[in-house]
Amino acid sequence: MTRFKHDLILRIVKIMDAVLVTIPFALCWYLYYAKRIASPFYAKGDYLVVALFFVLFIMFGRVYDAFLMSMYRISEIVYAQFLAAAVSDFIMYVVIWLLSKHLPNILPGVAALVGQLVLAAIWAQGAHRAYFKTFPPQATAVIYDTRQGLEKLIGQYGLDGKYKVVATATAAECIENLSMLDGINTVFISGVHSHDRNIILKYCVENNITMFVIPRIGDTIMSSAHHMHMFHLPMLRVGRYNPQPEYLFIKRLLDIVISAAALIILSPIFLATAIAIKATDHGPVFYKQTRLTKDGKEFGILKFRSMRVDAEKDGIARLSSGEHDDRITPVGKVIRACRVDELPQLINILRGELSIVGPRPERPEIAAQYCEEMPEFSLRLQAKAGLTGYAQVYGKYNTTPYDKLTMDLMYIAHPSIIEDLKIMFATVKILFVPESTEGVAEGATTAMGQENDDKMTV
């Protein structure tokens, strides 16, 4: 089957999903809300409302990866579909509220969401099974150098039904015999130096082989290059993070508006958490800790205290070892699981010390340890630190510092309000999912994960 036909079939299946999820909303609108708005619409107006939901669902479906039936487990697809439908329904509820000029009954909307969840689950299960019955696993090769074990990750993430690894080889072995890639559909490149990688890349492009590359720091920085011409030659201009002033203005405006609104709305949770912490061990409610933000500037980040007062009585900075850390209090375990301990950082955002989206701020002591083995770690400090970020949304609990650095630099390389909004909405997806500790490729378990021009360990 040609790639064009493959992509066309997938697109049709995804549109069918959007149509299915739109049906409960359309019924809810026509049977209840449409009759109760201040100035009832006629046919075209009704079509427009339903079409708006359809577009919103597709947009948020992409944010939450709700249509990737070949990449995720059925449960993950259903969860993503539910989030996309719930956010779309909420926005449409606000629209209906404005049209009605009074607070509408939410129960029909809840009923529509239940119907959407049922239809999404049916679609996810059917589409997932149909995909793997229709499309056989792609013959796959894993080419590595300093980073091994990617073929194991394919199995651990349940992708062996899509990618059937039939060959693994070092970059040197592959370059010596490029014909080993004949008959291969997909190639994964892991930790291969740029010179060797480019030889394999050209061969793959020439022979219509899809290639996935785990980027290195240099690749990520180069992705921000501005294309231009000079001396009648093509040029790539690369420099330090320097976003447009209008981007920084809108970003700061969003920080102020969203953090202020969140502080007001979440004030009951603040009060309940403060009472619970105080009642447990009578210690301070808040915990202030020195962190680094743009250009290495230090600031005091605020958190609800989740550990014992004497958690670092010896004065040595330590990363938490996770939910089994014996320094965490009973209340701390609850607020950490719900991410409530992070809420006081909204005050840091309002002050301008932190942004909603950006690289997560590190402690100076921990950052110094990282920089000893990974000097590029300081490149994260080009942008203001954030409450959430690319690495927090798309990484895992045990994603190595090197890989998280790469993710942060990918964000820094392409400053965009649209990307900020996507990360904000995508953050909702991880709030209700326990920290994952899926395995990482062999060679990925060093303390920091380091790279220089000659070597990469992840």
Side-chain angles (χ1 to χ4, degrees):
M1 181 181 294
T2 65
R3 184 169 300 170
F4 172 79
K5 188 174 181 181
H6 172 274
D7 293 343
L8 179 62
I9 292 174
L10 290 184
R11 189 174 295 273
I12 292 172
V13 172
K14 293 173 183 178
I15 291 175
M16 287 174 57
D17 170 49
V19 171
L20 279 176
V21 174
T22 301
I23 290 174
F25 172 80
L27 291 174
C28 179
W29 169 256
Y30 279 107
L31 297 178
Y32 188 83
Y33 290 122
K35 303 173 183 178
R36 291 169 172 79
I37 62 174
S39 300
F41 289 146
Y42 293 100
K44 291 183 179 179
D46 292 331
Y47 296 157
L48 184 60
V49 171
V50 174
L52 178 58
F53 174 86
F54 180 81
V55 171
L56 285 172
F57 179 74
I58 291 177
M59 182 176 71
F60 287 108
R62 289 177 175 174
V63 169
Y64 296 123
D65 295 330
F67 304 120
L68 300 182
M69 62 272 199
S70 65
M71 302 294 289
Y72 293 111
R73 300 178 178 91
I74 294 174
S75 59
E76 294 172 324
I77 299 171
V78 173
Y79 176 56
Q81 294 259 327
F82 171 75
L83 283 178
V87 174
S88 302
D89 283 335
F90 174 77
I91 294 175
M92 292 308 302
Y93 181 78
V94 173
V95 171
I96 293 169
W97 183 1
L98 296 174
L99 293 172
S100 303
K101 298 182 180 179
H102 66 271
L103 191 64
N105 184 0
I106 197 174
L107 292 180
V110 173
L113 180 59
V114 173
Q116 290 164 340
L117 179 59
V118 172
L119 290 176
I122 293 172
W123 176 86
Q125 187 153 348
H128 190 270
R129 291 181 177 178
Y131 179 90
F132 290 105
K133 285 185 179 180
T134 305
F135 304 112
Q138 301 173 24
T140 301
V142 174
I143 309 301
Y144 62 90
D145 191 346
T146 58
R147 180 172 185 159
Q148 303 179 38
L150 189 61
E151 65 278 5
K152 295 180 181 178
L153 285 183
I154 292 174
Q156 290 174 10
Y157 278 79
L159 292 177
D160 43 355
K162 182 172 184 177
Y163 302 110
K164 182 180 180 181
V165 179
V166 296
T168 58
T170 65
E173 291 170 342
C174 182
I175 292 172
E176 186 177 344
N177 181 26
L178 285 171
S179 62
M180 69 176 292
L181 299 180
D182 294 346
I184 296 293
N185 304 116
T186 304
V187 172
F188 284 89
I189 298 293
S190 178
V192 176
H193 305 303
S194 57
H195 176 269
D196 295 345
R197 182 187 61 198
N198 290 343
I199 295 173
I200 301 171
L201 171 63
K202 293 169 187 175
Y203 187 86
C204 288
V205 171
E206 183 179 357
N207 291 276
N208 195 27
I209 300 171
T210 301
M211 182 168 161
F212 291 94
V213 180
I214 298 178
R216 302 173 63 167
I217 297 297
D219 299 324
T220 307
I221 295 174
M222 283 297 297
S223 71
S224 68
H226 174 70
H227 296 209
M228 58 181 295
H229 293 85
M230 187 181 293
F231 315 123
H232 299 288
L233 296 172
M235 288 279 181
L236 296 175
R237 178 169 60 83
V238 184
R240 189 172 173 82
Y241 175 74
N242 186 30
Q244 297 297 320
E246 53 268 29
Y247 164 75
L248 294 176
F249 174 79
I250 296 173
K251 184 179 177 69
R252 178 60 185 147
L253 183 62
L254 284 174
D255 285 346
I256 293 172
V257 172
I258 295 175
S259 61
L263 282 168
I264 295 171
I265 295 170
L266 299 173
S267 56
I269 297 178
F270 270 74
L271 180 60
T273 304
I275 293 173
I277 294 172
K278 198 71 176 177
T280 301
D281 61 6
H282 309 292
V285 170
F286 295 107
Y287 178 61
K288 192 172 183 179
Q289 191 178 72
T290 301
R291 296 290 181 100
L292 298 177
T293 185
K294 190 176 187 302
D295 298 325
K297 182 180 178 181
E298 295 185 357
F299 73 102
I301 199 169
L302 290 173
K303 287 189 176 187
F304 281 121
R305 184 172 57 84
S306 60
M307 290 189 174
R308 301 191 311 265
V309 177
D310 62 349
E312 291 183 353
K313 58 185 178 182
D314 56 5
I316 300 174
R318 294 184 182 89
L319 291 172
S320 171
S321 58
E323 61 180 5
H324 300 298
D325 193 323
D326 60 7
R327 298 175 297 168
I328 301 175
T329 65
V331 172
K333 290 181 179 179
V334 175
I335 63 176
R336 280 187 170 220
C338 303
R339 271 64 166 193
V340 171
D341 62 318
E342 308 280 356
L343 291 183
Q345 292 170 47
L346 292 168
I347 299 172
N348 293 117
I349 295 172
L350 202 56
R351 290 175 179 171
E353 300 164 332
L354 201 63
S355 183
I356 293 177
V357 180
R360 283 296 292 153
E362 276 294 352
R363 301 176 66 175
E365 303 90 340
I366 302 299
Q369 293 177 31
Y370 286 152
C371 287
E372 285 182 8
E373 295 193 27
M374 189 169 52
E376 300 90 347
F377 193 79
S378 61
L379 295 176
R380 300 170 74 255
L381 301 178
Q382 296 177 78
K384 184 185 290 187
L387 175 63
T388 185
Y390 193 96
Q392 280 63 49
V393 170
Y394 298 107
K396 299 292 183 182
Y397 181 78
N398 64 341
T399 299
T400 64
Y402 177 85
D403 288 329
K404 286 187 176 180
L405 170 61
T406 304
M407 292 179 182
D408 284 331
L409 292 180
M410 287 175 70
Y411 167 76
I412 290 172
H414 303 282
S416 162
I417 292 298
I418 298 298
E419 184 66 22
D420 282 0
L421 292 173
K422 285 176 62 178
I423 291 173
M424 289 181 202
F425 281 110
T427 301
V428 177
K429 184 177 181 179
I430 65 171
L431 288 179
F432 308 103
V433 177
E435 290 281 19
S436 178
T437 56
E438 277 113 342
V440 292
E442 290 179 13
T445 55
T446 59
M448 308 300 172
Q450 61 184 10
E451 175 196 359
N452 52 41
D453 292 337
D454 301 315
K455 177 181 178 182
M456 181 182 80
T457 305
V458 188

